[in-house]
Amino acid sequence: MKRRPNILFLFADDMRYNTIHYLGNPDIITPNLDYLAKNGTSFMNAYIPGGTCAAVCMPSRAMLNTGKTLYHLKDHGAQIPEDHALLGETLKNAGYKTFGTGKWHNGYTSYARSFMSGGEIFFGGMYDHWKVPVYDYDDTGNYVKVVNDVMNPGYSNAMVPVRMDHVHWGKHSTDLFADLACNWIEQYDDEKPFYMYVSYMAPHDPRSMPRQFFDMYDVDKITLPHNYMPQHPFDFGITNVRDEQLEAYPRTEQAIRRHMRDYYAMISHLDASIGRILDSLKKTGMFDDTIILFSADNGLGLGEHGLMGKQNCYEHSIKMPLIFSGPGIPKDERRNGMVYLLDIFPTLCELTQVHVPESVEGISFAGQLNDPEVKNRDVMYFGYRDKIRGVKTERYKLIHYRYKTQSWVQLFDLKEDPYEIKDLSSDASMAGIRAELEEKLTVLSHEWDDDSLTVSNNFWHDRSKIEAEPFGFV
């Protein structure tokens, strides 16, 4: 049997889909991601189904690494049950040497199940990039050491126990993870193929970066999003979420430009670190034998629709970049078929001829690589906690909101209105489309077992008694 290709999975945190220069953003500087896109295939409609908790990245990463759907996770993805096969674990059992570094938001034992080696492991959601509490690799999954940290010394002497066994004070998380990845690649001398998972904490806030990347951008030249709004037109119950409190209401144009400048600078720093990892692959002669993936766990509002975070079902928050590059991958091509990140697990299995575990619910989209006409999904289902449910076809999206005793509905034509500005839910000519999507929403809620969790029941409870009012932005 021919030796399987290596796999390098580069995974960003909070990086929305429209943040790569080559794929359509003229303001951002991303030469290495541009290189991957030019030498690979970009999936332009890659989504997550949403989240069951405010920390959307936790269920997102659990879905990615297990191939399970949103309402079949345990504790929002905080723990991975033994009967949920993991991507790293599956590749390891198929003969891959597996290595992981960076953020892991899904428990301790699942990390040991996934990786045979690794380091600089961060078990958490976010932290100061310049003093990340990390662990060395432990093959028993016994990550128990705790160190006290005074989190806010200017205002309090309260100590908080933080899980870690060391910290590299003054070294940015992006460089910390990339350095380890480069060293591991350059020392690799095994005949077996490897699976490397480099999970960044960038560009998640707090957004700080080496000065050279900050200086790449002039805040006054940052282009505001087409759907920038000072405030979301209605309150659907997320204003108290931490992400939304990162900027005061109303969001001013200059404030959003500052946030975007910092965000872009974080991404350019991440991009430079990716370039160093690619250079290590080339230096060792392994580049041409390695499938390289780049994606992110979720997107971000950052001023779009007046939102700052990802606790919603607009495109900017549920749609991510996704690039495949390497042996057998078409170069400089784009695919428009809709995929979920949870579909990556079976796709990699198909590309490497590894058996897909029975517990995986994702659908392989490997067929799209060689045939742009192949479509694996014709409808997508989305949700956020007990507040939002949505459904999307290739052209239309319907979003329902429920908060306390209120309810709203939106309908968008994404072909004519990709920034989701013009709500068509009250347009009489769209009544048939709305009815069709309402029916799809109901059917998919059952198919996804969206009545198995408390957050689901709270959304669907007494839905027949609530008449959702249309809400138009224009």
Side-chain angles (χ1 to χ4, degrees):
M1 178 180 175
K2 182 181 178 182
R3 181 184 183 275
R4 292 184 170 109
N6 304 314
I7 302 170
L8 168 62
F9 198 157
L10 303 163
F11 202 54
D13 193 346
D14 274 11
M15 184 168 164
R16 63 189 185 193
Y17 73 97
N18 54 358
T19 49
I20 297 175
H21 182 89
Y22 189 68
L23 298 181
N25 186 330
D27 287 354
I28 201 165
I29 302 167
T30 53
N32 295 292
L33 290 173
D34 295 350
Y35 174 83
L36 287 179
K38 291 176 185 177
N39 287 276
T41 299
S42 301
F43 290 83
M44 308 304 290
N45 287 291
Y47 293 87
I48 59 168
T52 50
C53 59
V56 174
C57 58
M58 186 165 66
S60 175
R61 290 162 183 266
M63 287 184 281
L64 171 78
N65 282 292
T66 64
K68 303 295 287 185
T69 49
L70 183 60
Y71 302 103
H72 289 166
L73 302 176
K74 180 181 179 181
D75 299 332
H76 312 291
Q79 303 294 329
I80 306 298
E82 289 289 330
D83 61 349
H84 290 189
L86 290 147
L87 175 57
E89 176 184 39
T90 299
L91 293 171
K92 177 177 67 175
N93 293 339
Y96 274 82
K97 302 278 283 189
T98 59
F99 171 94
T101 186
K103 176 176 173 175
W104 186 264
H105 211 174
N106 307 117
Y108 308 107
T109 59
S110 58
Y111 200 89
R113 286 169 54 195
S114 298
F115 303 110
M116 302 166 68
S117 62
E120 312 300 3
I121 309 159
F122 171 62
F123 290 108
M126 59 173 287
Y127 218 85
D128 182 342
H129 289 279
W130 299 95
K131 59 169 189 177
V132 182
V134 288
Y135 282 102
D136 290 323
Y137 176 78
D138 186 325
D139 60 5
T140 69
N142 191 32
Y143 298 98
V144 296
K145 186 173 180 179
V146 174
V147 175
N148 288 323
D149 189 10
V150 178
M151 303 295 288
N152 197 0
Y155 295 89
S156 170
N157 65 351
M159 292 188 297
V160 177
V162 179
R163 284 184 173 268
M164 64 171 168
D165 59 26
H166 66 281
V167 61
H168 298 271
W169 189 282
K171 187 167 188 175
H172 197 280
S173 67
T174 294
D175 296 320
L176 180 66
F177 306 144
D179 285 354
L180 183 64
C182 289
N183 290 337
W184 192 85
I185 288 171
E186 292 178 17
Q187 295 174 16
Y188 191 77
D189 61 357
D190 201 300
E191 292 186 0
K192 292 183 177 181
F194 67 76
Y195 168 61
M196 171 178 279
Y197 180 66
V198 182
S199 181
Y200 290 97
M201 295 169 65
H204 197 297
D205 69 279
R207 285 182 275 274
S208 59
M209 72 300 299
R211 185 76 194 191
Q212 69 190 84
F213 300 99
F214 181 90
D215 289 341
M216 287 180 174
Y217 296 93
D218 181 343
V219 69
D220 294 324
K221 294 181 180 179
I222 297 292
T223 304
L224 281 174
H226 292 282
N227 51 9
Y228 155 77
M229 297 178 189
Q231 190 163 333
H232 195 268
F234 56 90
D235 177 10
F236 58 96
I238 65 167
T239 56
N240 63 340
V241 173
R242 190 202 65 87
D243 290 19
E244 294 304 324
Q245 297 178 345
L246 294 177
E247 183 54 54
Y249 296 101
R251 290 46 156 117
T252 66
E253 292 187 5
Q254 193 64 11
I256 294 305
R257 284 194 174 94
R258 287 196 301 269
H259 280 280
M260 293 180 67
R261 184 267 316 279
D262 296 347
Y263 189 58
Y264 286 179
M266 289 283 283
I267 292 172
S268 291
H269 181 207
L270 181 150
D271 180 88
S273 81
I274 288 174
R276 293 197 292 114
I277 296 174
L278 299 183
D279 286 344
S280 291
L281 282 175
K282 293 174 180 177
K283 178 180 178 180
T284 58
M286 294 189 289
F287 181 81
D288 291 336
D289 299 319
T290 303
I291 293 174
I292 302 169
L293 287 79
F294 175 79
S295 192
D297 54 1
N298 49 255
L300 205 63
L302 216 66
E304 299 195 25
H305 294 103
L307 302 172
M308 296 300 294
K310 57 266 188 180
Q311 294 79 14
N312 59 83
C313 290
Y314 290 117
E315 297 286 282
H316 51 67
S317 295
I318 57 174
K319 187 175 181 180
M320 281 67 60
L322 176 58
I323 302 171
F324 275 66
S325 179
I329 309 297
K331 295 181 184 296
D332 200 11
E333 294 195 16
R334 301 180 187 185
R335 298 291 182 265
N336 292 317
M338 298 184 295
V339 302
Y340 285 122
L341 293 196
L342 62 97
D343 297 332
I344 290 174
F345 189 155
T347 300
L348 283 175
C349 287
E350 182 172 348
L351 291 176
T352 56
Q353 299 182 338
V354 171
H355 175 71
V356 179
E358 293 296 324
S359 61
V360 172
E361 297 172 309
I363 301 171
S364 170
F365 53 85
Q368 292 189 37
L369 288 167
N370 293 315
D371 187 350
E373 299 303 315
V374 170
K375 302 290 173 65
N376 299 96
R377 296 182 181 273
D378 58 6
V379 62
M380 310 289 273
Y381 188 65
F382 307 108
Y384 172 67
R385 298 183 68 182
D386 60 350
K387 304 182 187 311
I388 311 173
R389 292 298 182 274
V391 64
K392 176 188 179 295
T393 61
E394 288 188 3
R395 180 164 183 172
Y396 299 104
K397 184 197 282 187
L398 182 81
I399 308 176
H400 268 281
Y401 301 81
R402 302 194 192 284
Y403 178 50
K404 297 181 178 179
T405 60
Q406 296 177 288
S407 183
W408 303 267
V409 64
Q410 295 170 322
L411 174 64
F412 299 109
D413 180 345
L414 296 176
K415 180 179 179 181
E416 301 297 327
D417 176 29
Y419 299 104
E420 300 168 292
I421 297 173
K422 186 175 182 179
D423 175 23
L424 302 173
S425 60
S426 60
D427 187 328
S429 68
M430 301 297 293
I433 296 295
R434 176 173 168 174
E436 179 183 338
L437 293 177
E438 296 275 10
E439 177 62 23
K440 288 182 184 293
L441 189 70
T442 299
V443 170
L444 287 170
S445 73
H446 297 302
E447 290 183 3
W448 280 65
D449 289 333
D450 187 6
D451 56 2
S452 59
L453 303 174
T454 301
V455 294
S456 306
N457 293 332
N458 289 346
F459 179 86
W460 294 110
H461 180 63
D462 286 341
R463 58 182 170 171
S464 62
K465 299 178 183 178
I466 302 177
E467 182 66 27
E469 292 296 329
F471 193 99
F473 286 127
V474 294

